[in-house]
Amino acid sequence: MINLKNEIFMKIRNCIVILLLLMFILGCEEPRYDTLDFNSSNVNIELEEPVNLTVQGSNNYIMIYWNYPLNQTVTVSFAVYRSESENGEFALLKDEINSTYYYDNAVEPGKTYWYKVKAKSILYGDSDFSESKSAVRKGRGVDIYDKEAGNDKK
């Protein structure tokens, strides 16, 4: 009877040792599933630039809006750039815009401003610039009260 108990104990102990060894060996193996390598040349997604850029001046700001191609499946944000001349240097005006419009209220009345927009992705970089468009803020620079027109905007 004691001999039978020892034999059962030895078999259980051997099974436990084998299970522990298998767990150790399987834990050290490389994963068997494929992982995405975003630095690989196999992943080549090129962001398209925003289209249908439109800019409109109002009495208080210039509104910039655009479309983004519907076939793009990558999540993007947008960046708006502004210049004071068509061929001048475009400086970043606003980054990380999560909509397809922006109001530029830091503009002088009667002055022409040029705008471009680009799409941005954390994984895939920046798109090319959209076409550039210009607009002029309307008004005379007096937003609260216009003496000549006699209107109180308060």
Side-chain angles (χ1 to χ4, degrees):
M1 181 81 157
I2 294 177
N3 203 11
L4 182 61
K5 284 183 182 180
N6 283 340
E7 190 176 324
I8 293 173
F9 175 75
M10 292 296 284
K11 286 184 180 184
I12 292 173
R13 188 185 77 176
N14 288 342
C15 286
I16 291 173
V17 169
I18 290 171
L19 284 173
L20 289 173
L21 283 172
L22 281 173
M23 289 172 53
F24 177 75
I25 290 170
L26 292 175
C28 293
E29 278 188 24
E30 289 288 322
R32 294 182 184 224
Y33 52 86
D34 292 332
T35 57
L36 289 176
D37 180 8
F38 292 105
N39 296 321
S40 165
S41 60
N42 296 337
V43 178
N44 188 14
I45 294 178
E46 217 173 292
L47 297 180
E48 293 187 40
E49 68 271 3
V51 295
N52 302 327
L53 179 68
T54 304
V55 293
Q56 291 180 327
S58 75
N59 286 333
N60 301 316
Y61 54 81
I62 294 177
M63 181 178 180
I64 305 106
Y65 54 98
W66 58 92
N67 296 113
Y68 193 61
L70 295 175
N71 63 341
Q72 288 284 290
T73 58
V74 176
T75 301
V76 296
S77 64
F78 299 96
V80 174
Y81 292 76
R82 179 178 74 188
S83 176
E84 293 184 5
S85 66
E86 183 176 10
N87 298 320
E89 184 175 327
F90 282 79
L92 177 64
L93 181 62
K94 178 71 176 166
D95 203 5
E96 297 183 17
I97 300 171
N98 293 320
S99 60
T100 56
Y101 63 89
Y102 178 73
Y103 295 95
D104 183 6
N105 56 10
V107 290
E108 296 176 29
K111 191 171 184 179
T112 302
Y113 294 91
W114 291 83
Y115 297 91
K116 291 181 181 181
V117 179
K118 67 168 52 176
K120 302 180 75 149
S121 166
I122 293 171
L123 296 176
Y124 305 110
D126 297 355
S127 73
D128 290 335
F129 280 108
S130 67
E131 61 184 328
S132 63
K133 295 276 181 99
S134 67
V136 177
R137 177 181 161 191
K138 300 174 185 176
R140 296 186 202 103
V142 181
D143 294 330
I144 302 302
Y145 180 76
D146 186 342
K147 223 179 204 180
E148 290 179 26
N151 60 347
D152 187 358
K153 297 183 181 180
K154 288 183 183 178

